[in-house]
Amino acid sequence: MSDTVPTHLAHWGAFSPIVRDGADGVDGHADVTAVRPSTSDTAPSPLLGNLVGSLRHPLRIDRPYVRAGWLERGRGPDRRRGEDAFVSMSWDDVLDVLADELRGVYDTAGPDAVFGGSYGWSSAGRFHHAQSQVHRFLNTLGGYVRSVNTYSVGTSEVLLPHILGGGVEVLGALTSWQVLAEHTELMVCVGGLPAKNTAVAPGGVSRHRVSEHLRSMADRGVEFVIVGPDRADIPEELSARWLPVRPGTDTAFLLALAYVLVTERRYDAAFVRTHCTGFDRVVPYLTGKADGIAKNPAWAAALCGIDVAAITELARAMSTRRTMLTVTYALQRAEFGEQPVWAAVLVATLLGQIGLPGGGFGHGYGSMADNGLPAQTWSLPTLPQGTNPVTTAIPVARIADMLLNPGREYDYDGRRHRYPDIELIYWCGGNPFHHHQQLTKLREAWRRVNTIVVHEPYWTATARHADIVLPATVTLERDDIGASRADAVLTAMRRCADPYAEAWDDYAIFAELAARLGVAEAYTEDRTAEQWLRHLYEDWRQRTGNPDLPDFGAFWAAGSVTLPEPQPSVLFADFRRDPMAHPLRTPSGRIELYSATIASFDYEDCPGHPAWLAPAEWHGSPRAEWFPLVLLANNPATRLHSQLDFGPYSQASKVAGREPIRMHPADAASRGIVDGDLVRVYNDRGACLAGAVLDDDLLPGVVQLSTGAWFTPVPGTDPVLCTAGSVNVLTRDTGSSRLSQGCSGSRVLVEVARWSGPVPPAPS
Ligand code: PGD
């Protein structure tokens, strides 16, 4: 195999692992000793370093386990879940036990009592994709309660169809970076363009290209402005101008831009007339005619901390130059998260550049490696998931509410829904005890169901809170096909190590369970995993209609296949050219600055046009009297979410053995904290330990603690104390609004103090 063909793919890139095999490996087994990034990747992700030692790490789950309490007392709610011991079991026995349990639940309570939403990024690879496997399996049994939308961008997924006529379609079709590099003059980045996020894409990319495009934009003299509380959220080499808005006040800032454009008559009246609706409803709100409060720069300055001149000048500059206005995903991962996105659409519409090359509105540049790369026109090889006859679904981030409140009604996107009564949870490829907010509430909710089954390679907090834990293989232990939406390469992901101890592929586990439950043929279609890879590839090859693509044998032998690069594109170009011939899929066919549909829902937390709504977690909230620091709870730079937190690259970032918390030197000094101190970060929901890092890239009053440190509560602590620094012990579990019910975990009020108590051991 040539060095230039990487043999594997992770969500953070293509690589070839160096695997030490045999006798000199740990326990006589193989492990990864080094990782060679793809030679064609000019900006490989340092996250690859976390793979070293990951195959035989002591946190791998070696064999099937059943929680002692579940074995002794049988199925049922149990407060010991998460603190109980586990008993190991043979595969034969555990599969018999689990098959009986599934049969019982499906026979007595039915599929409406099984939650198979199973959210999570799992691993790259089209066949061994854990969620596809669990969904297909549960569908063969009669279905399951599913979840809709994502933790990443769940608020916008619901909002955007109302105002732009599409959710993921819009997000996946951003104007290409190549076009920005040629045409954009000013890029205003609300929330920045964080380099850490552009390392990662679902399914992985063979080449990381965002930094190349940004470099060519900078070389051409494009001016970048970052609007946000953390200057580090944009690469330093772009020399961006920093407008340090206070966290959670972006909507006020954006409304003031709109105010200037309208009152100084700098908006594109012709575009507004032909391409949008609702201008007449928004203007009275902006000018204050509707509510007595003009949303002018002085009003915004008092909220967001940016002075009047800077707001006014930026609005003027945007109206005279080809301007791309982008909002990061993190901004909508918050209470009232619809508002900054909708307000940015308002500003971009007023500028009249939507559909022009290099101008208009973007959402998620800098949020993932493939956002802004043109997507392939055909869908990727995908394991069919069958049909789910169960119609009940919850917005993904409402899981704890669902488990705590069976039968209770809730609002979502204009309808009343009712939470189902869940008896059994089946989770593969996700880590809710990392990704969900207010983890003590989730723990409470999790303890109420009868049975929880988790497949995991590692002893994550989710595995530790399960009843039946089945050890899964990792991608390096199996063959697969690697591909992602905006990448021109399909990779033959090659197995390069034996499964650890008694770990099985998710597919093998489900195939054995399906046999016990009499649905083997429906699940496997009589194919081995290898036959599935061949089948999925050939099915995909046929769908592309491209006669030049090699057959499976040739693809596998070559190690990859390169597809034609899709053409760069401009979001909404056709709509701009002719809105009658190419209307948006909104009720009016146009951009909806005012949505009569949303207004008709009568939600006080998401009115019919973008509006400033003061959230609970910001510096102006009454809670700030007790918890005066606004914590940014965003995605980490040293790992993907919680994956491989034990890896060398992630561990090297730890301070005092814990997740680092960045804070402004002035905030540290006023609390007697110095660089490297062990600190307690707390509010009334919980506390965690973290290691202080002083950093004046942050606005004073703002601290930053990444998600993904593994939830490690000190037993018996109330409110809970997590020794590792899991930020989701602090965040609030509430929907972003009644409209979208999205994840609202990106911001929370806290206090920080030097830890003066006995030091609990750092997690190992
Ligand atoms: P991961 O750590 O990627 O987090 O949440 P998500 O649950 O996706 O978890 C994936 C798990 O899958 C890992 O434990 C991994 O070991 C396991 N896994 C990997 N491969 C396999 C496999 O082949 N089989 C099986 N069975 N398991 C496998 C991420 C979520 O967190 C996301 S997407 C976002 S954007 C959110 N962001 C925030 C945020 O900004 N702020 C807060 N406060 N909270 C967030 N949570 C969300």
Side-chain angles (χ1 to χ4, degrees):
M1 174 82 23
S2 145
D3 274 355
T4 56
V5 180
T7 58
H8 224 78
L9 198 63
H11 293 307
W12 47 96
F15 65 97
S16 301
I18 314 281
V19 176
R20 178 181 57 184
D21 52 28
D24 62 337
V26 180
D27 297 336
H29 295 289
D31 208 341
V32 178
T33 54
V35 174
R36 266 185 315 204
S38 166
T39 46
S40 61
D41 192 351
T42 52
S45 166
L47 267 56
L48 289 170
N50 283 331
L51 287 159
V52 172
S54 62
L55 289 180
R56 312 294 158 199
H57 194 278
L59 284 167
R60 280 298 295 267
I61 303 174
D62 56 353
R63 54 179 62 95
Y65 286 90
V66 181
R67 188 171 64 80
W70 193 90
L71 265 185
E72 284 157 19
R73 292 178 295 280
R75 59 205 306 274
D78 195 337
R79 298 203 61 73
R80 270 160 293 197
R81 205 169 263 140
E83 288 169 3
D84 216 348
F86 282 96
V87 179
S88 70
M89 222 184 234
S90 72
W91 271 109
D92 253 355
D93 289 349
V94 83
L95 291 171
D96 286 345
V97 167
L98 178 51
D100 279 350
E101 175 63 10
L102 287 166
R103 198 178 294 114
V105 175
Y106 274 91
D107 284 352
T108 53
D112 290 282
V114 176
F115 184 70
S118 190
Y119 180 84
W121 271 54
S122 60
S123 295
R126 301 299 302 168
F127 173 65
H128 290 287
H129 180 243
Q131 276 76 27
S132 307
Q133 295 286 353
V134 67
H135 295 160
R136 179 179 170 87
F137 171 69
L138 294 176
N139 281 339
T140 65
L141 299 184
Y144 61 94
V145 173
R146 55 197 173 92
S147 57
V148 292
N149 308 326
T150 60
Y151 274 80
S152 299
V153 71
T155 301
S156 293
E157 282 170 274
V158 179
L159 171 73
L160 293 182
H162 289 289
I163 65 169
L164 293 177
V168 276
E169 308 90 302
V170 170
L171 300 171
L174 294 184
T175 299
S176 309
W177 282 110
Q178 291 98 313
V179 179
L180 267 53
E182 261 182 66
H183 297 274
T184 304
E185 294 171 329
L186 172 62
M187 185 151 184
V188 178
C189 310
V190 185
L193 296 170
K196 64 185 173 63
N197 297 341
T198 58
V200 171
V205 287
S206 57
R207 280 173 55 208
H208 290 86
R209 285 182 284 177
V210 174
S211 52
E212 276 169 46
H213 293 305
L214 285 174
R215 213 169 303 121
S216 52
M217 289 174 78
D219 289 347
R220 209 173 48 76
V222 176
E223 185 188 351
F224 289 88
V225 176
I226 169 173
V227 180
D230 186 354
R231 182 167 41 192
D233 275 339
I234 198 157
E236 210 179 331
E237 56 273 20
L238 300 182
S239 307
R241 187 149 74 91
W242 184 27
L243 295 182
V245 290
R246 296 186 184 122
T249 63
D250 310 81
T251 305
F253 176 84
L254 288 160
L255 290 172
L257 294 180
Y259 176 94
V260 175
L261 296 173
V262 168
T263 56
E264 295 191 1
R265 300 207 152 273
R266 289 174 175 274
Y267 68 96
D268 184 334
F271 184 80
V272 163
R273 208 166 32 249
T274 51
H275 286 74
C276 78
T277 59
F279 180 70
D280 54 332
R281 302 297 291 258
V282 175
V283 169
Y285 174 72
L286 289 176
T287 58
K289 205 167 159 203
D291 62 357
I293 302 168
K295 311 303 173 305
N296 58 26
W299 164 82
L303 295 167
C304 74
I306 306 297
D307 67 43
V308 172
I311 298 173
T312 311
E313 276 159 27
L314 182 67
R316 290 175 185 162
M318 291 170 84
S319 71
T320 56
R321 296 160 72 186
R322 183 60 58 88
T323 301
M324 174 54 76
L325 173 59
T326 180
V327 179
T328 52
Y329 286 173
L331 263 78
Q332 52 85 60
R333 223 173 284 140
E335 192 184 13
F336 315 136
E338 292 86 355
Q339 304 313 317
V341 179
W342 204 349
V345 170
L346 166 65
V347 172
T349 304
L350 295 175
L351 293 172
Q353 298 185 25
I354 288 177
L356 284 181
F361 165 75
H363 186 17
Y365 288 111
S367 295
M368 281 200 288
D370 56 356
N371 285 356
L373 299 181
Q376 296 292 342
T377 46
W378 47 73
S379 56
L380 300 170
T382 304
L383 179 72
Q385 296 183 16
T387 309
N388 185 356
V390 175
T391 51
T392 313
I394 56 158
V396 67
R398 298 280 49 80
I399 178 162
D401 284 343
M402 169 187 76
L403 298 174
L404 288 168
N405 305 290
R408 202 190 75 185
E409 290 196 333
Y410 67 99
D411 288 305
Y412 169 63
D413 200 12
R415 295 223 172 129
R416 295 288 284 169
H417 298 262
R418 197 181 286 281
Y419 288 125
D421 194 350
I422 296 299
E423 289 194 11
L424 182 142
I425 295 175
Y426 210 127
W427 217 291
C428 298
N431 190 4
F433 276 88
H434 135 67
H435 71 224
H436 195 63
Q437 289 58 62
Q438 207 170 336
L439 288 179
T440 47
K441 178 176 157 189
L442 179 68
R443 190 168 64 172
E444 196 57 42
W446 205 253
R447 287 172 169 169
R448 299 215 174 176
V449 290
N450 290 342
T451 301
I452 298 172
V453 188
V454 168
H455 297 190
E456 247 295 336
Y458 298 100
W459 278 111
T460 61
T462 301
R464 286 188 277 110
H465 283 79
D467 299 318
I468 299 180
V469 182
L470 302 182
T473 51
V474 295
T475 60
L476 291 169
E477 296 162 343
R478 56 201 190 212
D479 289 331
D480 210 336
I481 299 171
S484 64
R485 165 176 82 79
D487 201 43
V489 178
L490 238 72
T491 302
M493 295 169 62
R494 292 177 193 285
R495 170 185 165 129
C496 53
D498 289 338
Y500 175 69
E502 294 180 28
W504 286 14
D505 297 348
D506 295 298
Y507 180 69
I509 300 171
F510 288 129
E512 284 294 326
L513 277 173
R516 281 168 168 75
L517 291 161
V519 291
E521 211 199 319
Y523 180 70
T524 64
E525 295 181 22
D526 282 334
R527 292 190 185 96
T528 62
E530 196 275 332
Q531 288 166 332
W532 268 109
L533 296 188
R534 189 174 291 274
H535 172 73
L536 294 184
Y537 179 89
E538 291 299 346
D539 171 66
W540 167 82
R541 189 164 74 105
Q542 211 158 36
R543 273 188 288 120
T544 64
N546 182 340
D548 299 333
L549 291 177
D551 66 15
F552 179 77
F555 155 65
W556 199 257
S560 70
V561 56
T562 303
L563 312 168
E565 283 275 354
Q567 289 302 308
S569 58
V570 175
L571 180 63
F572 296 134
D574 291 341
F575 164 67
R576 178 185 186 87
R577 208 174 312 113
D578 189 344
M580 301 301 280
H582 302 282
L584 301 183
R585 282 185 290 131
T586 56
S588 62
R590 299 175 177 197
I591 299 165
E592 303 226 344
L593 302 184
Y594 172 85
S595 163
T597 310
I598 294 179
S600 74
F601 300 157
D602 205 18
Y603 297 151
E604 72 293 339
D605 54 7
C606 190
H609 59 71
W612 162 251
L613 304 168
E617 305 285 333
W618 77 306
H619 77 273
S621 152
R623 283 175 61 76
E625 197 180 320
W626 294 280
F627 310 113
L629 298 170
V630 187
L631 184 150
L632 308 175
N634 49 9
N635 284 316
T638 58
R639 59 187 170 261
L640 167 67
H641 310 310
S642 68
Q643 295 197 28
L644 307 180
D645 185 32
F646 50 79
Y649 185 62
S650 187
Q651 285 300 309
S653 72
K654 303 286 177 180
V655 174
R658 334 281 156 156
E659 191 61 17
I661 182 168
R662 294 166 57 229
M663 59 195 307
H664 192 277
D667 293 321
S670 62
R671 290 166 175 78
I673 294 169
V674 299
D675 210 47
D677 268 354
L678 184 63
V679 296
R680 176 171 173 261
V681 189
Y682 65 96
N683 61 20
D684 48 353
R685 292 177 205 114
C688 64
L689 297 183
V693 174
L694 308 197
D695 191 340
D696 61 9
D697 274 344
L698 287 163
L699 193 61
V702 176
V703 294
Q704 184 269 326
L705 178 63
S706 300
T707 60
W710 287 20
F711 177 53
T712 314
V714 175
T717 46
D718 185 16
V720 74
L721 174 68
C722 169
T723 60
S726 171
V727 74
N728 275 326
V729 299
L730 303 160
T731 51
R732 174 168 173 238
D733 178 23
T734 185
S736 44
S737 75
R738 287 157 77 197
L739 179 82
S740 59
Q741 297 286 5
C743 160
S744 63
S746 72
R747 209 175 49 239
V748 61
L749 286 170
V750 299
E751 180 54 291
V752 179
R754 265 188 89 224
W755 176 257
S756 48
V759 180
S764 52

